[in-house]
Amino acid sequence: MSHTTFPSIDPAAHLARVRERSPLIHNITNLVAMNTMANVLLAIGASPAMVHAREEAAEFTAVADALTVNIGTLSPHWVEAMIEAAEAARLVGKPWVLDPVAVGATAYRRETGVRLLERLPTVIRGNASEIIALEAGGAGGRGVDSSDPAEAAEQAAVRLARRTGGVVAVTGEVDLVTDGRRLARVHGGHALMPRVTTLGCSLTGVVAAFVAGAEDTFAATVAALACYAAAGEIAGETARGPGSFAVAFLDALHALEGETLGPRLHLEMTDAT
């Protein structure tokens, strides 16, 4: 693999663009994540909306700047709203981000994952287990345990990106992002991040905010993950446990700027193989 630098990826510039535009992010997310996700999006500078009804989900997608779909708490009515919203995003050219929570766990999730994948998500963000299961159409059950490193899903992520023509982000202790040609690794974050529920789900919204209107979806996704990791690192310096970390993390996202972000960026990129 040939290693290159990141001359074209400036996370601080992407963050500034999000705050200048305050993109409206339409989130069809799970019941557990709604409040945290809304607060995280507000802290980063975006505008969140949680619109789930099938009767209006597709129509609202056309109004929003980007869509996120999270399959954490499925029900038939919500699944149809997800499918219709994703199709609407594809038809009107709005970016949409798929979060395939536990996609390999049940037949219903596998079926839903396949249907959503057919709508060609702009970005897919999940842990190693979810990316492996989604790429295999659910074969192999749940895949590797989510505690496994993102590297375990590297080849599945590359194949999935090439199949969909989008970007795949595998989050873990070291995040991995690929568009099928380029492959980035984002280091950072903090060990308490997995101890606060729905921070991963909320990252999906941040990715959507960064890719909304972006010229390079890959670069915008890397920037989103880099900013999230930096905020986690900052929050971890004062947190005493998961509760104080959750508060400190929101404050860190809100206060994040180029001067504090720069020294905390730990990025590397290779060619995907």
Side-chain angles (χ1 to χ4, degrees):
M1 285 187 181
S2 60
H3 291 258
T4 55
T5 59
F6 275 77
S8 61
I9 300 182
D10 182 356
H14 284 271
L15 175 61
R17 184 177 59 83
V18 168
R19 289 176 172 164
E20 179 182 353
R21 296 182 68 246
S22 188
L24 175 61
I25 309 303
H26 174 197
N27 305 286
I28 306 181
T29 191
N30 69 71
L31 291 166
V32 183
M34 289 187 200
N35 185 68
T36 304
M37 193 171 191
N39 283 330
V40 163
L41 282 167
L42 288 170
I44 204 71
S47 179
M50 276 58 184
V51 179
H52 294 77
R54 183 180 183 183
E55 291 78 3
E56 62 175 347
E59 181 181 355
F60 193 83
T61 297
V63 176
D65 293 299
L67 165 73
T68 74
V69 172
N70 176 305
I71 68 170
T73 51
L74 291 178
S75 67
H77 199 75
W78 276 25
V79 168
E80 296 311 313
M82 291 173 180
I83 298 298
E84 292 174 12
E87 182 67 14
R90 189 179 68 83
L91 291 175
V92 300
K94 297 291 179 70
W96 75 280
V97 184
L98 173 61
D99 192 338
V101 177
V103 68
T106 67
Y108 190 38
R109 288 177 185 274
R110 292 191 291 273
E111 176 191 348
T112 301
V114 168
R115 293 179 69 193
L116 287 166
L117 206 56
E118 291 172 350
R119 272 71 188 181
L120 302 179
T122 310
V123 183
I124 301 167
R125 190 219 63 84
N127 62 38
S129 171
E130 292 159 351
I131 296 304
I132 289 171
L134 186 65
E135 191 274 332
R142 293 172 58 190
V144 299
D145 189 84
S146 61
S147 63
D148 283 359
E151 294 291 335
E154 177 177 331
Q155 291 307 309
V158 171
R159 289 192 298 268
L160 198 54
R162 290 173 178 167
R163 186 199 310 175
T164 62
V167 170
V168 178
V170 191
T171 50
E173 186 174 345
V174 177
D175 299 331
L176 184 150
V177 184
T178 183
D179 61 357
R181 298 181 297 107
R182 298 167 288 180
L183 193 148
R185 291 176 177 81
V186 181
H187 301 259
H190 193 271
L192 282 173
M193 294 180 82
R195 309 303 299 174
V196 180
T197 188
T198 68
L199 279 193
C201 300
S202 301
L203 172 57
T204 299
V206 173
V207 170
F210 274 64
V211 303
E215 294 182 1
D216 185 340
T217 300
F218 172 80
T221 302
V222 172
L225 269 60
C227 288
Y228 216 71
E233 188 176 312
I234 293 168
E237 293 173 353
T238 58
R240 300 182 303 277
S244 56
F245 182 88
V247 174
F249 183 70
L250 283 179
D251 289 345
L253 279 177
H254 177 72
L256 201 60
E257 57 185 20
E259 291 183 0
T260 55
L261 180 59
R264 299 177 186 276
L265 294 178
H266 312 288
L267 309 176
E268 58 178 301
M269 189 165 75
T270 65
D271 298 323
T273 58

